[in-house]
Amino acid sequence: MKKEQIEEQKIGQFAEILSDSEYVVFLGGAGVSTESGIPDFRSRNGLYHKKEKRFSKYKPEYLLSYECLKCEPEIFFDYYRKNLDARSIEPNAAHKVLAGMEQAGRLKGIITQNIDGLHQKAGSINVQEIHGTIWHNHCISCGKEFGSDYIFESSEAVPHCTECGRIVRPDVTLYGEFLPQEAYQNSISMIGKADCLIIGGTSLEVGSAAQLAHMYHGKYLVIINKGKTKLEGKANLVFHDSIGKIMRAIE
Ligand code: NAD
C-alpha cells in the first residue's frame, strides 16, 4: 500500500475512534504551538539548542528554574523576556480544530503544558494549564496580580510590585516548583473519566505530563508527535506527523 493510502486509512481509524468515544481529552505540549512560530524545547530548532552568548554558560533547565529566579533574577527575567513572550502569537490549525471540537461537544477538555494561552485564544474553554501561564503575574510577597505586559514591558531588569516593592514573577511553573494544584487535580479527574486520550506535540520528557499519560487506562490512545515518544507501544494509533495537518484532516 502507498504511503498516502496508509495515511488515509489511519485518518479513517482516528475518525472512527472519535465517534466511538464519549469522553475525549487532549494532552499536549510545546509541539502544538510550533506551527504558530513558537519553538519547542527539545526539537532540532528548539530553545534548548538555541545559542545565545549571554546565556551560554547556563543549562536551559536552570534558566527556567526557581533557583535562577531566586539567585540570579536579572538573568532569569532577561531569558524569560527574550524567549517566552508569546503575546503577539496567533493560534494555528491544531488550536482551532481542538476549540471547534469542544464547541461541537466532541472534546471534553485540554490538558496543556504550554504557557502561551493559545488554546484559549482559539476559543477553547476547558483548558487545564499544568505549567501555568505567561498571561498572569503576581508579587511574591503580597500576591498583588499584574497582567502579562507588566513583566514584558517593564524598564526594570527585575520587575517590582507597585504595592510592596518585592519581585513580581510570572504565574509559570518553574523547574523545581510544584504544579498548580487545581489544574493538576482537574487533569487527573479528566484522565480518569476519558475513554479516548489524544496526546500531541509533547516529548513526554517532563515528569508531570508523563505521569498523567501513565495514569490513563481508557479505551483509546492516539499519539500525534513528530518525534518518538515512550508511550507508543500502548497506543492504538500513532502519527509521526504535523499536528496541524492531522487535526485538520479529522475536522
Ligand atoms: P518538548 O520540546 O520536550 O517536545 C515537543 C515535541 O513536539 C517533540 O517531541 C517534537 O517532535 C514535537 N513536535 C514539534 N513540533 C510539532 C508539530 N508541528 N507537530 C507534531 N509534533 C511536533 O516539549 P514538551 O514535551 O511540551 O515539554 C517541554 C516544556 O516546555 C513544557 O513544560 C512546556 O511548558 C514548555 N514549553 C512551552 C512552550 C509554549 O508554551 N508554547 C514552548 C516551549 C516550551
Side-chain angles (χ1 to χ4, degrees), residues 29-31 33-35 38-43 113-116 131 201-204 206 224-227 241-243:
S33 294
T34 54
E35 288 164 38
I38 304 178
D40 62 12
F41 275 179
R42 294 175 180 82
S43 295
Q113 300 165 80
N114 292 348
I115 55 177
D116 54 32
H131 293 165
T202 172
S203 63
L204 292 177
V206 176
I224 312 164
N225 203 63
K226 281 189 176 167
D241 211 332
S242 142
I243 185 147

Short mmCIF file of all heavy atoms in Angstrom, two decimals, residues 29-31 33-35 38-43 113-116 131 201-204 206 224-227 241-243, ligand 1:
data_model
loop_
_atom_site.label_atom_id
_atom_site.label_comp_id
_atom_site.label_asym_id
_atom_site.label_seq_id
_atom_site.Cartn_x
_atom_site.Cartn_y
_atom_site.Cartn_z
N GLY A 29 1.64 19.60 24.38
CA GLY A 29 2.82 20.33 24.82
C GLY A 29 3.30 21.30 23.75
O GLY A 29 2.54 21.68 22.84
N ALA A 30 4.55 21.67 23.86
CA ALA A 30 5.12 22.74 23.04
C ALA A 30 4.96 22.51 21.54
O ALA A 30 4.84 23.47 20.77
CB ALA A 30 6.60 22.90 23.39
N GLY A 31 4.93 21.24 21.10
CA GLY A 31 4.79 20.94 19.68
C GLY A 31 3.47 21.42 19.09
O GLY A 31 3.36 21.60 17.88
N SER A 33 2.30 24.33 19.53
CA SER A 33 2.45 25.75 19.18
C SER A 33 3.59 26.04 18.20
O SER A 33 3.76 27.19 17.81
CB SER A 33 2.66 26.57 20.47
OG SER A 33 1.50 26.53 21.26
N THR A 34 4.34 25.02 17.80
CA THR A 34 5.47 25.31 16.88
C THR A 34 4.95 25.87 15.54
O THR A 34 5.60 26.71 14.93
CB THR A 34 6.35 24.07 16.61
OG1 THR A 34 5.51 23.01 16.16
CG2 THR A 34 7.12 23.64 17.83
N GLU A 35 3.77 25.39 15.12
CA GLU A 35 3.23 25.88 13.84
C GLU A 35 2.69 27.31 13.94
O GLU A 35 2.31 27.91 12.94
CB GLU A 35 2.18 24.89 13.31
CG GLU A 35 2.86 23.61 12.82
CD GLU A 35 1.94 22.41 12.64
OE1 GLU A 35 0.81 22.58 12.18
OE2 GLU A 35 2.38 21.29 12.97
N ILE A 38 6.25 29.39 17.69
CA ILE A 38 6.94 29.33 18.99
C ILE A 38 7.80 28.07 19.02
O ILE A 38 7.26 26.97 18.85
CB ILE A 38 5.94 29.27 20.16
CG1 ILE A 38 4.97 30.46 20.10
CG2 ILE A 38 6.66 29.22 21.51
CD1 ILE A 38 3.91 30.44 21.21
N PRO A 39 9.10 28.20 19.21
CA PRO A 39 9.91 26.97 19.23
C PRO A 39 9.58 26.09 20.44
O PRO A 39 9.19 26.61 21.49
CB PRO A 39 11.35 27.50 19.33
CG PRO A 39 11.25 28.91 19.78
CD PRO A 39 9.89 29.41 19.43
N ASP A 40 9.71 24.77 20.26
CA ASP A 40 9.56 23.89 21.43
C ASP A 40 10.90 23.85 22.16
O ASP A 40 11.78 24.68 21.92
CB ASP A 40 9.03 22.50 21.02
CG ASP A 40 9.97 21.76 20.08
OD1 ASP A 40 11.11 22.20 19.91
OD2 ASP A 40 9.56 20.73 19.51
N PHE A 41 11.09 22.89 23.06
CA PHE A 41 12.35 22.81 23.79
C PHE A 41 13.35 21.87 23.12
O PHE A 41 14.49 22.23 22.89
CB PHE A 41 12.10 22.33 25.22
CG PHE A 41 11.72 23.42 26.18
CD1 PHE A 41 11.44 23.11 27.51
CD2 PHE A 41 11.65 24.73 25.78
CE1 PHE A 41 11.10 24.11 28.41
CE2 PHE A 41 11.31 25.74 26.66
CZ PHE A 41 11.03 25.42 27.98
N ARG A 42 12.88 20.64 22.84
CA ARG A 42 13.85 19.58 22.53
C ARG A 42 14.06 19.28 21.05
O ARG A 42 14.97 18.52 20.72
CB ARG A 42 13.45 18.30 23.29
CG ARG A 42 13.59 18.50 24.79
CD ARG A 42 13.10 17.31 25.60
NE ARG A 42 13.27 17.59 27.02
CZ ARG A 42 12.44 18.30 27.75
NH1 ARG A 42 11.34 18.81 27.21
NH2 ARG A 42 12.67 18.53 29.04
N SER A 43 13.25 19.81 20.16
CA SER A 43 13.47 19.56 18.72
C SER A 43 14.76 20.24 18.26
O SER A 43 15.31 21.07 18.99
CB SER A 43 12.31 20.10 17.89
OG SER A 43 11.14 19.40 18.18
N GLN A 113 0.74 21.63 28.68
CA GLN A 113 1.97 22.06 29.37
C GLN A 113 2.36 23.45 28.89
O GLN A 113 3.31 24.03 29.39
CB GLN A 113 3.10 21.09 29.02
CG GLN A 113 2.83 19.67 29.43
CD GLN A 113 3.82 18.73 28.75
OE1 GLN A 113 4.95 18.60 29.18
NE2 GLN A 113 3.41 18.08 27.68
N ASN A 114 1.68 23.93 27.87
CA ASN A 114 2.06 25.22 27.30
C ASN A 114 1.62 26.38 28.18
O ASN A 114 0.61 26.31 28.87
CB ASN A 114 1.49 25.38 25.89
CG ASN A 114 2.13 24.41 24.93
OD1 ASN A 114 3.13 23.79 25.28
ND2 ASN A 114 1.57 24.26 23.75
N ILE A 115 2.40 27.43 28.07
CA ILE A 115 2.15 28.60 28.93
C ILE A 115 1.75 29.80 28.07
O ILE A 115 1.67 30.91 28.56
CB ILE A 115 3.43 28.92 29.74
CG1 ILE A 115 4.65 29.09 28.79
CG2 ILE A 115 3.72 27.80 30.73
CD1 ILE A 115 5.94 29.47 29.52
N ASP A 116 1.50 29.54 26.78
CA ASP A 116 1.27 30.64 25.84
C ASP A 116 -0.17 31.12 25.72
O ASP A 116 -0.44 32.14 25.07
CB ASP A 116 1.81 30.26 24.45
CG ASP A 116 1.23 28.93 23.94
OD1 ASP A 116 0.08 28.60 24.26
OD2 ASP A 116 1.95 28.21 23.20
N HIS A 131 1.36 23.89 33.65
CA HIS A 131 2.61 24.63 33.91
C HIS A 131 2.38 26.12 33.99
O HIS A 131 3.31 26.91 33.80
CB HIS A 131 3.66 24.29 32.84
CG HIS A 131 4.11 22.87 32.90
ND1 HIS A 131 4.81 22.25 31.89
CD2 HIS A 131 3.99 21.94 33.88
CE1 HIS A 131 5.07 20.99 32.24
NE2 HIS A 131 4.58 20.78 33.44
N GLY A 201 2.14 16.70 20.30
CA GLY A 201 3.13 17.76 20.40
C GLY A 201 3.86 17.80 21.72
O GLY A 201 4.19 18.86 22.21
N THR A 202 4.12 16.63 22.27
CA THR A 202 4.91 16.60 23.51
C THR A 202 5.86 15.40 23.51
O THR A 202 5.46 14.30 23.12
CB THR A 202 4.03 16.57 24.77
OG1 THR A 202 4.86 16.34 25.92
CG2 THR A 202 2.95 15.50 24.72
N SER A 203 7.09 15.66 23.96
CA SER A 203 8.06 14.57 24.03
C SER A 203 7.77 13.66 25.23
O SER A 203 8.35 12.60 25.33
CB SER A 203 9.47 15.17 24.18
OG SER A 203 9.55 15.89 25.40
N LEU A 204 6.91 14.11 26.13
CA LEU A 204 6.60 13.42 27.40
C LEU A 204 7.86 13.24 28.25
O LEU A 204 7.96 12.31 29.04
CB LEU A 204 5.92 12.06 27.15
CG LEU A 204 4.50 12.09 26.56
CD1 LEU A 204 3.98 10.69 26.31
CD2 LEU A 204 3.52 12.83 27.49
N VAL A 206 8.92 15.67 30.28
CA VAL A 206 8.70 16.37 31.55
C VAL A 206 7.81 15.48 32.42
O VAL A 206 6.77 14.98 31.97
CB VAL A 206 8.05 17.76 31.32
CG1 VAL A 206 7.74 18.44 32.64
CG2 VAL A 206 8.98 18.64 30.48
N ILE A 224 0.00 11.93 18.41
CA ILE A 224 0.38 12.69 17.21
C ILE A 224 1.62 13.50 17.59
O ILE A 224 1.52 14.49 18.32
CB ILE A 224 -0.73 13.67 16.76
CG1 ILE A 224 -2.09 12.96 16.72
CG2 ILE A 224 -0.38 14.32 15.43
CD1 ILE A 224 -3.27 13.92 16.66
N ASN A 225 2.77 13.07 17.15
CA ASN A 225 4.01 13.75 17.53
C ASN A 225 5.08 13.50 16.48
O ASN A 225 5.26 12.36 16.05
CB ASN A 225 4.49 13.21 18.89
CG ASN A 225 5.39 14.20 19.58
OD1 ASN A 225 4.97 15.30 19.90
ND2 ASN A 225 6.64 13.83 19.79
N LYS A 226 5.75 14.56 16.09
CA LYS A 226 6.77 14.39 15.05
C LYS A 226 7.85 13.42 15.51
O LYS A 226 8.27 12.53 14.80
CB LYS A 226 7.38 15.74 14.69
CG LYS A 226 6.49 16.53 13.75
CD LYS A 226 7.19 17.77 13.24
CE LYS A 226 6.32 18.49 12.23
NZ LYS A 226 6.80 19.83 11.90
N GLY A 227 8.33 13.60 16.73
CA GLY A 227 9.37 12.71 17.26
C GLY A 227 8.75 11.51 17.97
O GLY A 227 7.53 11.49 18.21
N ASP A 241 3.79 12.99 12.64
CA ASP A 241 3.43 13.98 11.61
C ASP A 241 3.09 15.31 12.27
O ASP A 241 3.04 15.42 13.50
CB ASP A 241 2.20 13.44 10.86
CG ASP A 241 2.18 13.89 9.42
OD1 ASP A 241 2.74 14.97 9.13
OD2 ASP A 241 1.61 13.17 8.59
N SER A 242 2.81 16.29 11.42
CA SER A 242 2.42 17.61 11.91
C SER A 242 1.05 17.54 12.58
O SER A 242 0.09 17.02 12.00
CB SER A 242 2.36 18.57 10.72
OG SER A 242 1.28 19.47 10.85
N ILE A 243 0.97 18.09 13.76
CA ILE A 243 -0.31 18.03 14.47
C ILE A 243 -1.38 18.87 13.78
O ILE A 243 -2.55 18.48 13.73
CB ILE A 243 -0.15 18.41 15.95
CG1 ILE A 243 -1.46 18.21 16.69
CG2 ILE A 243 0.37 19.82 16.16
CD1 ILE A 243 -1.31 17.79 18.09
P1 NAD B 1 9.34 19.25 24.04
O1 NAD B 1 10.11 20.32 23.36
O2 NAD B 1 10.05 18.38 25.00
O3 NAD B 1 8.69 18.30 22.95
C1 NAD B 1 7.95 18.78 21.87
C2 NAD B 1 7.58 17.60 20.99
O4 NAD B 1 6.70 18.09 20.00
C3 NAD B 1 8.77 16.96 20.28
O5 NAD B 1 8.76 15.58 20.54
C4 NAD B 1 8.53 17.27 18.79
O6 NAD B 1 8.88 16.18 17.96
C5 NAD B 1 7.05 17.51 18.75
N1 NAD B 1 6.64 18.49 17.73
C6 NAD B 1 7.21 19.71 17.46
N2 NAD B 1 6.50 20.35 16.52
C7 NAD B 1 5.47 19.52 16.18
C8 NAD B 1 4.40 19.60 15.25
N3 NAD B 1 4.23 20.67 14.48
N4 NAD B 1 3.53 18.56 15.16
C9 NAD B 1 3.70 17.45 15.92
N5 NAD B 1 4.70 17.32 16.82
C10 NAD B 1 5.57 18.33 16.95
O7 NAD B 1 8.08 19.96 24.69
P2 NAD B 1 7.13 19.46 25.87
O8 NAD B 1 7.00 18.00 25.85
O9 NAD B 1 5.91 20.30 25.80
O10 NAD B 1 7.91 19.83 27.20
C11 NAD B 1 8.66 21.00 27.35
C12 NAD B 1 8.16 22.01 28.38
O11 NAD B 1 8.36 23.24 27.73
C13 NAD B 1 6.75 22.01 28.77
O12 NAD B 1 6.74 22.06 30.14
C14 NAD B 1 6.17 23.35 28.25
O13 NAD B 1 5.56 24.04 29.32
C15 NAD B 1 7.35 24.18 27.93
N6 NAD B 1 7.26 24.97 26.68
C16 NAD B 1 6.13 25.63 26.36
C17 NAD B 1 6.06 26.35 25.20
C18 NAD B 1 4.77 27.06 24.87
O14 NAD B 1 4.05 27.47 25.78
N7 NAD B 1 4.45 27.19 23.59
C19 NAD B 1 7.14 26.41 24.33
C20 NAD B 1 8.32 25.73 24.71
C21 NAD B 1 8.36 25.01 25.89
#
